[in-house]
Amino acid sequence: QVQLVESGGGSVQAGGSLRLSCTNSALKYSFFCMGWFRQVPGKEREEVAHIYTGDSTIVYADSVKGRFTISQDNAKSTLYLQMNTLKPEDSAMYYCAADLLGSSGCKAVVTEGDFGYWGQGTQVTVSS
């Protein structure tokens, strides 16, 4: 059974950093496509980054390239999102997502509908 538990959100001033964590109880048993999405009220959920845990192939949204880093720690069954140089427009509810898509399924473009497992979300607020 896949359970995703997120932590690490909070409030920070523009230019600051936060690190989000997502523990996947099944990560040590299978290779997953895992990603971070974010959503603000009234807007669609958008992808931030995703990683195929089998070979660590990573894709970032253009809006976060060079500022955010997604990584995995298989020993801890945890996915991370290191967010640096945060901007007010990064403020959103951040969600961890996972599914068994395989390397071909965890491709350059993934959508919300590709993922069947979701965390509860963690709020990130960046003030100017």
Side-chain angles (χ1 to χ4, degrees):
Q1 184 177 1
V2 178
Q3 290 184 316
L4 305 179
V5 180
E6 299 144 346
S7 61
S11 297
V12 66
Q13 289 192 327
S17 298
L18 284 172
R19 188 177 78 161
L20 307 183
S21 300
C22 172
T23 301
N24 176 353
S25 58
L27 187 58
K28 64 181 68 176
Y29 303 116
S30 297
F31 296 136
F32 282 83
C33 187
M34 295 193 68
W36 289 97
F37 286 73
R38 63 187 181 187
Q39 188 172 27
V40 297
K43 292 190 176 181
E44 292 185 356
R45 195 170 292 187
E46 66 170 353
E47 188 209 356
V48 175
H50 67 272
I51 183 171
Y52 180 59
T53 64
D55 60 12
S56 299
T57 298
I58 292 171
V59 177
Y60 293 101
D62 288 342
S63 59
V64 305
K65 280 180 181 176
R67 300 189 299 122
F68 291 11
T69 303
I70 189 172
S71 63
Q72 62 186 83
D73 186 332
N74 290 339
K76 296 181 179 180
S77 297
T78 301
L79 179 77
Y80 299 100
L81 185 69
Q82 177 67 43
M83 304 184 294
N84 298 329
T85 319
L86 282 161
K87 305 175 181 180
E89 52 263 42
D90 294 318
S91 297
M93 184 72 78
Y94 282 71
Y95 297 91
C96 174
D99 214 315
L100 295 166
L101 301 181
S103 58
S104 59
C106 196
K107 49 195 180 295
V109 178
V110 295
T111 66
E112 179 181 358
D114 289 321
F115 296 90
Y117 302 99
W118 291 87
Q120 78 282 5
T122 184
Q123 180 68 40
V124 170
T125 302
V126 184
S127 59
S128 57

